[in-house]
Structure formats: structure tokens, C-alpha cells
Amino acid sequence: MDDLIAEFLTETNESLGDLDTDLVNLEQNPNDMDLLSKIFRLVHTIKGTCGFLGLPRLEGVAHKGEDVLGLFRDGTLQVTPEYVTLIFECLDCIKEIISGIEETGSEPAGDDSALISRLEAVYNSANGKEPSPQEALDALVRQARENVAKEAAENTSVSEDVTSEDEGEDDSEDEEADEGDSEGVSLDELEAAFLAAPGPEDMAPSAPQEPAPVAVEKPVVSKTKQPQEPAATKESGVAAQSLRVNVDVLENLMTMVSELVLTRNQLLQILRSQKESEFSAPLQRLNHVVSDLQEGVMKTRMQPIGNAWAKLPRIIRDISIDLNKKIDLDMRGKETELDRQVLELIKDPLTHMVRNSADHGIETPTERVAAGKPETGKLILNAYHEGGHIIIEISDDGKGLNTQKIREKVLANGLATEEELADMSIQQIQQFIFKPGFSTADKVTAVSGRGVGMDVVRTNIEKIGGSIELKSTEGKGSRFLIKIPLTLAIVSALIVESAGERFAIPQLAVRELVMASTEGENRIETIKGTPVFRLRDHLLPLVSLQELLKITPPEPAPVVEAVPTLTEQDMGEVETQAHVDMDSFLEDLEDDEESTSQNDYIVVAQVGAYMFGIIVDRVFDTEEIVVKPVAGILRDIDMFSGNTILGDGSVIMILDPAGIAKCTGEIDSSDTMDVKEEDLRKHESSREKTSLLLFAAGDETPKTVPLELVSRLEEVDMGAIETANGHMVVQYRGKLMPLVPFDSRVHVEGEKRKPVLVFSDDNHSMGLVVDRIIDILDEYIDVQMEGGQGIVGSAIINEKSTDVVDVGYYLRQVNPNWFKNHGDEPFEKGGTAGAPGKRVLLVEDSPFFRNMLSPILKVAGYRVTTAESAVKALKLCEDGKMFDLIISDIEMPEMSGFEFAEKVRATEKWQDTPMIALSSHTTPQDMDRGMQAGFSKYVAKFDRDTLLDTLSQTLSEYAA
Amino acid sequence: MTQKAEARRDRSAKTAEELGPSEDYLTVMIAGQMFGIPVLQVQDVLGQQKVTRIPLAPAEVAGSLNLRGRIVTAIDVRRRLGMDPDAEKHKEMSVVVEHENELYSLVIDDVGDVLTLYNKDFDANPATLDPVWREISMGIYRLKDRLLVVLDVPKLLNTVHL
């Protein structure tokens, strides 16, 4: 293909990508002149360039599109969705032609007259008053352009062979084209040259048949040029700072750096085996340089994820128009960078999923309003880094997955029987959407639902070592969580051994390592020969790597069975140990060298939601490895995703956990923690479990606080404590943090280090000094006795009486204004005990206050239900739950307390329920507004005693 | 090797005109049979290597090894040709070839000289040759004291998984 055309294609593709996004923006801000000029200029450039590249079809379409855009710009035509759609069609047509050129090198055959005539119709109707001269001009312009184009086409084809020869033509444009070809100038220059040369618009008025330029045409000419010239110079300025490099060059560089990394690893390995070496200093230096180099080269491959998202606004817009929906696309973390290769691979799955969410997930405005949701659906894309991975979340507040429909479809497609379905949890059923050929849409829309769906998405994501999780609540929306590695070239892998062979398992898939002993709690059990393992409160399916790969130990030593038989003499040495962290695990390995053959190590791997254990003989270290594809003849072995060379120079195979899962009968969902939680929630919906931190301070009675309240756990050197303003403080993260001992029995002096629970809210933080942290567990808080100072009450946790700590008490000790307490003295204390068994609904978005208030209310004898948003609270109303009193925060996302109160007052069921507002601002205006909205009382956040008094007062008032 | 190469050059200088077109082959021995691999296809000749077994791979795949940072798949040519495993325990050498941008090492018993062979000595495969051999042999050269089978390396590798 002609270099010039290739260059043109690259640039045009880029511009087209921008155009989509810009047009959607324009539709939302029709008066943004800068944007309009930019769009106009892009289209104009396409039109202009293809004019002398001899692409008449493309030029024709672009030209008409430009005409209509010109009308927008002049204000002759209003920017409306219909017209934007037309422009989009025009762009699609351009794209189609461009991709044709990409494939064949020349314009594909096709007829755009329908589109052109529609564009013309719009153009003419806008200029309706004087259609005839305009049309005449148009025709003329077209004629002139076609001639030019034809000539240009001839010239370009000639100039491929005869590059520098002057054709002896007078036409300035042709000369430009020739020059362009021979010197290989960039498109920018070409464009600049083109702009300098008289364009068709300039030619048209001077055409002899046309007596006078039409009034409309004139400004187009002058305005076209003005924004273009400075923009062109600006572009070249940017171009000087960036460089277009062929991807192959980068790939090659990356491969070489990978080799360098390997060689470095080898050198370091050698160095480690030598005690003292003169090489150590230069090698260390080499080590650093190579690391930096690797990082640098990686950076060149990094691209912001926004590039993969550029098309989405357009897609969403089209869907909203086609399906009459209102969708608000919120893209966060656009600048998150990831490897180009990964980006390419996830582009399509992402687009597909967003399309799905918009098409199937979000309801029509009427449906939404009926469901009590705002008319406009929200589609949130969020990307961020998390420990060497990129997490991409796609969530919508649509209707969620319809479990019933999935169930029916599963039955219809024979994917499972009715009995099997009956045993499945909702989440397991939802997982079926990842099965091949599954689509719940009733009818196939143009947008999605062609049955090539989530299975392809999942396969693609898993192919690059990623995983996808799904959480969906019917009626509330769905959330997909994609976890992908930052880069494919170098991964961190765990090296294991089985039957004398070493293998690498990508760390991404490894959840934990467990040492299984021959007996005791941590032994491998079998069910009809199938090994399983009790991992905490789970049954983990196991596969033996040795059996899976059909490998036997090299020596004719006694074959190590996957399920070890009990050997007496090793009993003493065997350490029974459940999941241990990597370091201590590896230490154990060293100590335990002889007994390893009797022990099995279980690598707990997770693929999607499926967790399973791989039994291996030994676990070595983790290593950064460069993934190399396996030879062609080995590619059909599913178990391996590649191979690599280790630091010691040996070649090892990289296991593919997804492949292993597939080969061992993956059942897609199975028993993950999530499912379990879900099940529990189903059974225990009336009572909620709370994560609790248990600690000891002062006496031996265990104390507890809801874990959510604690922002961090720290160990503070007691020697570092200073005093400021009579308070104990410690320097913490560049600030002074007040410290409070739990009570006077917690000694601070003379102790070395003590655990400190750090509480923070907004800008404040404080540390509570305790003696020791006991445990963290999920339990039901059922406060049974009222407590004293600093204690909310006592509850039975872990079969022991435990004090539930009133964090608020300590917070106030440090800063009485912590809760912006307005200073009211509490009423008589007696009033608080008054209302046993009353049902209270607490609506509060901050988990901090929610977790703090609910135990206090419970202690006062109320039955507390919490909701983290007004929307959730309203849902409870729909579900028919009744309460005696509602306490609601005012500042909440989505729906404020005022709106909530108005909505509640409008419901039938709850209109008479008394409501108390909780807020940190208590200006008189706020109070008025609250009263108007329907609150009966207004309490400052967080004044515990006043709240309790107000509660009982209100309840008694209403009872009367 | 350089001496041999020089010798070859001398010889070919003398005889090139009289003997007609010729080609150079690296000779290898497998179970007493001499094979020739076109010299231009040979990347390297290796002695005994540390080979990593590849589970689940076709039987002809002996494993993989590290050749200066590149991963090379080792093919057990004996197995590929349907011969019994080496009973005499030769020292085991391998010839590295490139095929479809990947490196393969052909594990054979021994490596001999590079020979310049003339087209006049070339013969097609005998029709009665073992079908497996016929597939991977491009033809036979008649040498003075023995016959040399020309290995068709791409065919040999392409049909490994069959």
C-alpha cells in the first residue's frame, strides 16, 4: 500500500475515534463553539486529504458531512439528536470505506447516494430560502472536485512509479500530491500544504459561471480557515514532543529487555552462591539499571485505559436513542494505564459488557420511575490499580439479572436439571450467563443478544490471566469486576515441584498455600478416591498435579500417592498448620526438608469463582518470569499457558489454572465465600452479622468494637508518646494523633509497644491504647446488658461475655466537638429506657455512624434495622416492612434526607411513622426545611443521650 | 569443524565443474543409519543437554531446553521414526533447526561430518520404504560405502503430533 495512504489511514482512524466522543459531547453541549470547530476541522481534514489521495467516494461523504457541520457552526442549524445521528451515520460510512481501504488498498465499491441525498436534504432545507443557487453551487463544487479528484487519482497512481518527475501540470494541488509522495512528508505537513493551497470552496466563488458568492457560503470560507491555521501549528508543537514508533520496534525492545532480565536473574543467582565476589558491586548496579530499563520499556507500552473507552460514549448514546433510554455513563479512572497488549485484548469484552449493561441492564425511564428509581440510569465504569492488577468495575443500577429467566433458559438449553437448579444459590444460577450460547434477552436486538456473549468475554479475559466476577441483585443492578494483570510479558509466579519436575503457577491465580499433613485436622480426605480438603469451613476440591499431568517420579522410588498414607515415624515432625503466609511457609520448608515427601502442599487456586486446590510435592519461591509461548506442537495442551527460563537457566512449564480447572470439571460457581455469605444472608436476613474486633484492655473481659469503625490497627512505641495540651499525643503520618488509654488500668509508661486502634473520621483521628488484640470475627451483636462509662453494653460473643465499647465516649474525650455536639445537656436519664421492642429504622450512609448508633439503640431496647441509603430504605417500605420510628441522616448521596422524608410522607404505609433527622449542621433553616419535609424532630449528630431521649419522647407522643 | 570446512572447500573447488550441482549436508547417525540434514537449516549442534520433560506432550517430544535464552523444543527423532529407544546409551547429541520461527532440537545418536553431495548420486525414495520413513525422507544419496537418507525437517516437525 502507498505509504501516504497508510499514513492517512492511521491518522484518520485516530481522528475518527476522537470524533465519536466529541460528537456525543457536542450533543450535550450544543453551544460549545470550540468543540464544533474541532469537529468541523477533523471532518474537513479527512475530506481535504482524501481529495488528492484519489478517494472520491470517501471525499463525497465527508464533504456532505462537513456541509451539515458547517451549518451547525454557523448557527443555521440547531444541534439536535436527529442531526447528530445523521452525522454519525456519515462517520460510520467513512469508517466503512476506510476499513475497506485498509484491507484492499483501494476504495471499496458502494453506493452512498442515499446518505448523501439525506445530508443534502438537511443542508438544503436549512438553507431553504434560496435552494436553487445553493444547489447550483453545490453541483458546481462537486463537479470541480470530481475533476480534481480524478486528476489527483491519476497522478497518484503515476507518481508511485515516477516519483520525482514533474508531470508538467499547472494544477497546484497535483504538485502538492507529487511532492507529498516523493518526500514522504507527514500528513500534518500535507495538511498544512493543503490548507495553503486553494481549496474547492475558494475555487467555487471564483468559478466563472457563478456571478456572486451566495451569502451563506462566504462566512464558511473565512471561518474555516481561522480555526484551522493556529490549530495546525499547535499540533506540530505537540508532535515534536512525541514520536510515532512502530509497535514491532517496541515489541522487539520488550523481548530483548525480557532476555536481559533473565540474564540478570541468572547472574544474581550465581552471585548468591558465591560468598564474596568482586562482581557483587557492579552486578548490583547492573541489577538496578536493568530494573529501571525494564520499567522504562514497560512504560512505553502503557496506555491509558481511556483509549479503550473512547468508543463507549457513542455506543451508549446510540443505545439510548435506539431504545429510548436515559443513560448516564460515568467513566472513572480513565488515566489508569495498562499494557497495550492487554488493552487490545480487553477492548472488545469491555465494549460488549457495557453494551449489555445498557441494553439488558438499564430499564426504560417509565420502568425506572415505576421502580422508584431516578429516570436516568447510571452506568459506571471504574478502573484502578490494585497490587499489580488492574481492576475494572462495570456497574449499573438497572434491573439486575433475572434469576427466574436464567433458570428457565438453563432448563430450556438443558444446561442443568430442575433438581440441580433447586440446590443452587442465586449466585450459582447467575453464573450461567457465562456459559456458551446464553442470552436472556427475549428478542435479539441490534445492540446485543446474539448469543455470542459473556462466555466469549470470560474466555478472553481468562486468556490474559484475568478473572471476572459478577454480583447482581434483581431490581438493583449488576456489578462486574474484572481483574487483569498489568502486563502479560512478565508475571510473578510460584514455583512448585511435583514428581521431581518443577512448574510455575501464575501468582495471580494463587489464593493461598496450605500444608496438609498426614493426619490431624489438616489432612487430605477422600470421597470415593477423590481428594478433598477442609479449608476452614469449606470443602475444597483437590487435584493432584502428578496425576493430572500423568508424571511419575524419575527414580523408581516408592510412588508418592496423592492421598498420603499414614507413616508413623514422621508423626512427630509433621507440623500441622493451616494456611500460613508465604515467608513462614518457606521457612518451614527449609526446616522440614526430610519430611516433605510425606507432606503435601496445596496451592489454593481460584479461577473466576471456582476455587480448587492443586496438590504438589514442594513449594519453592516466587519468581518474576518472562512468559514465552510454547512451541507450536505443544499448543493444544490446555494445562500450560507458556514456558519460561528460570534464574538458574532451566526451562519450566507455566501451568494454566484456567486450563486445569476446565480439565478437572469446573462447575463454574461452586462454593466460594460469596455464595456462602449469600446463603447465610438468606437464612439470617432478620439478623445481621457484624465484623467485630476483639481486644483486651485493663481487665480480662474481652472488649469489642465493630471492625468497620476502626480505620487501622497500629503498634505504637510507648516511648514516642508526647504531651500536648494535656493530652497524650503521638506523631502519626505527619500529624499529631491524640492517644487515649482504654482505661486507667492500661499502662502506658514503661511499656515498649502497645496496639492502638485508630479511629478516624474526616480529618480527625485518635488512637485508643489497648493491651492486646484478640481476634476478628463475624458475630451477631446482641447487646444484653446496659454498660457504664465508655461501654455500650455487654454481649455474648464466642460464648464469653464481652463489653461492647462506646467509641463515641472516647472520641469525645479527645475532642468534645468531634460530633459537633451542640452542647445541650442531656435530659433526664430515666427517659431512655422507655421503649422495649420498638422497631427503629436507621438510615445513614456512613458506616462509621451506622455502626456506632445501632448498638446504642439496641442497648436502649430498640429493634434496629439499618439502611445505608434512602433508596434502600424505601425498598424496605415497598417490601412491606413496618417501623415505629425512622431516624435518617440528612446528607446522603443519591437522595438526601429531605427528599427521603418527602417520599416517605407520600407513601401509604409509612406516612404516619415519626421521623427524626440526624445531622451535623443544625442551622435554623435546616431545621425548618426538615420540619417541612416531614421530620418531627431534629437531632444533632451525634448526641447520644439527646437522641435516645428524643426517641422515647417522640414515641410516647405518637403513642398518645 | 573449520578444518573440515576447509577440506570441503578444497574438494568442491576441484570437482564443482566435473560433478555438477551439489548440496551440503550435515550427517547424523541414528541407530546405525546415516541421515543428512541440509546444512542451511542447521542452527547449532549441541552435546548432551539438560532437558525438561513436558508432561502430556506427544511421545516424540523429549522436552524443552534453554539455548542462550531461547526455549528449544527437543524432538526424539528415534521415536519419531518408530525406532526402539537407544539401548546402547549413546552420548546423545542434538541438531538445532528453526521451523516456523521456533527452534527445535533433533535428538540423535551422533553427529558426523558435513558432506557435499552431488545430484548425480541422488535417488528418490524406494517405493517399498517404511511409510513413516517415506514421509520424512526427501530421498537417498548413494555414498561409496553406505546410503544417506535426507531428512525433510519441516515434514518431520509438522507431523509430530499425528
Side-chain angles (χ1 to χ4, degrees), chain A residues 62 103 245 388 390 430 442 585 601 638 679 699 759 834 887 894:
Chain A
E103 275 163 30
V245 180
I390 304 256
Q430 286 173 347
D442 286 333
F585 193 85
Y601 297 95
D638 283 341
D679 286 348
D699 52 26
F759 301 99
I887 305 170
E894 282 184 270

Side-chain angles (χ1 to χ4, degrees), chain A residues 172 210 223 248 262 269 311 335 422 465 473 476 587 592 607 701 784 860 876 894 941:
Chain A
S172 58
E210 191 64 37
K223 274 190 196 161
D248 289 347
L262 284 178
Q269 189 116 7
K311 282 188 192 155
E335 63 293 335
T473 320
K476 292 280 174 56
E587 271 165 35
D592 243 8
V607 176
T701 316
Q784 300 184 345
L876 289 173
E894 282 184 270
K941 202 194 229 180

Side-chain angles (χ1 to χ4, degrees), chain A residues 404-606:
Chain A
Q404 191 50 41
K405 258 195 198 164
I406 297 175
R407 222 186 272 265
E408 284 161 16
K409 188 94 180 192
V410 167
L411 286 175
N413 291 6
L415 293 169
T417 64
E418 196 131 11
E419 291 79 48
E420 282 167 342
L421 280 176
D423 285 343
M424 287 186 190
S425 68
I426 289 179
Q427 186 162 3
Q428 280 173 312
I429 291 170
Q430 286 173 347
Q431 295 293 333
F432 275 105
I433 66 161
F434 292 116
K435 286 280 186 194
F438 200 91
S439 171
T440 52
D442 286 333
K443 52 176 188 267
V444 173
T445 65
V447 182
S448 54
R450 274 164 298 226
V452 263
M454 298 306 292
D455 63 313
V456 180
V457 170
R458 188 169 79 160
T459 323
N460 280 353
I461 289 169
E462 279 173 3
K463 216 182 273 167
I464 54 173
S467 61
I468 178 164
E469 277 172 44
L470 156 72
K471 272 185 192 140
S472 178
T473 320
E474 215 169 325
K476 292 280 174 56
S478 316
R479 180 162 161 266
F480 290 92
L481 206 74
I482 302 173
K483 189 175 181 186
I484 41 177
L486 213 52
T487 176
L488 298 183
I490 296 188
V491 298
S492 169
L494 182 70
I495 313 296
V496 299
E497 188 186 86
S498 182
E501 301 284 338
R502 285 185 296 173
F503 299 94
I505 305 177
Q507 196 77 49
L508 186 69
V510 177
R511 272 295 135 115
E512 59 183 298
L513 291 174
V514 182
M515 180 147 97
S517 60
T518 44
E519 96 122 25
E521 267 182 64
N522 298 299
R523 80 198 141 89
I524 295 170
E525 293 165 82
T526 56
I527 309 169
K528 196 176 182 291
T530 310
V532 289
F533 183 78
R534 296 176 205 220
L535 179 66
R536 291 183 286 277
D537 40 9
H538 259 68
L539 205 56
L540 189 73
L542 296 181
V543 288
S544 158
L545 197 55
Q546 194 178 319
E547 287 177 7
L548 187 73
L549 300 178
K550 302 187 178 68
I551 40 177
T552 42
E555 252 95 311
V559 179
V560 181
E561 285 293 323
V563 186
T565 42
L566 202 136
T567 41
E568 300 272 335
Q569 84 259 35
D570 276 311
M571 295 291 299
E573 288 178 69
V574 173
E575 272 189 62
T576 50
Q577 202 171 0
H579 59 293
V580 281
D581 68 320
M582 190 73 83
D583 284 343
S584 65
F585 193 85
L586 292 171
E587 271 165 35
D588 281 342
L589 278 178
E590 314 276 310
D591 303 343
D592 243 8
E593 207 75 349
E594 307 95 305
S595 62
T596 42
S597 59
Q598 267 71 37
N599 280 333
D600 281 302
Y601 297 95
I602 299 172
V603 178
V604 182
Q606 185 168 15

Side-chain angles (χ1 to χ4, degrees), chain A residues 343-360:
Chain A
L343 193 78
E344 283 303 315
L345 287 166
I346 58 151
K347 217 179 205 170
D348 290 342
L350 266 185
T351 313
H352 184 87
M353 288 172 71
V354 168
R355 210 178 256 163
N356 261 350
S357 284
D359 188 16
H360 305 318

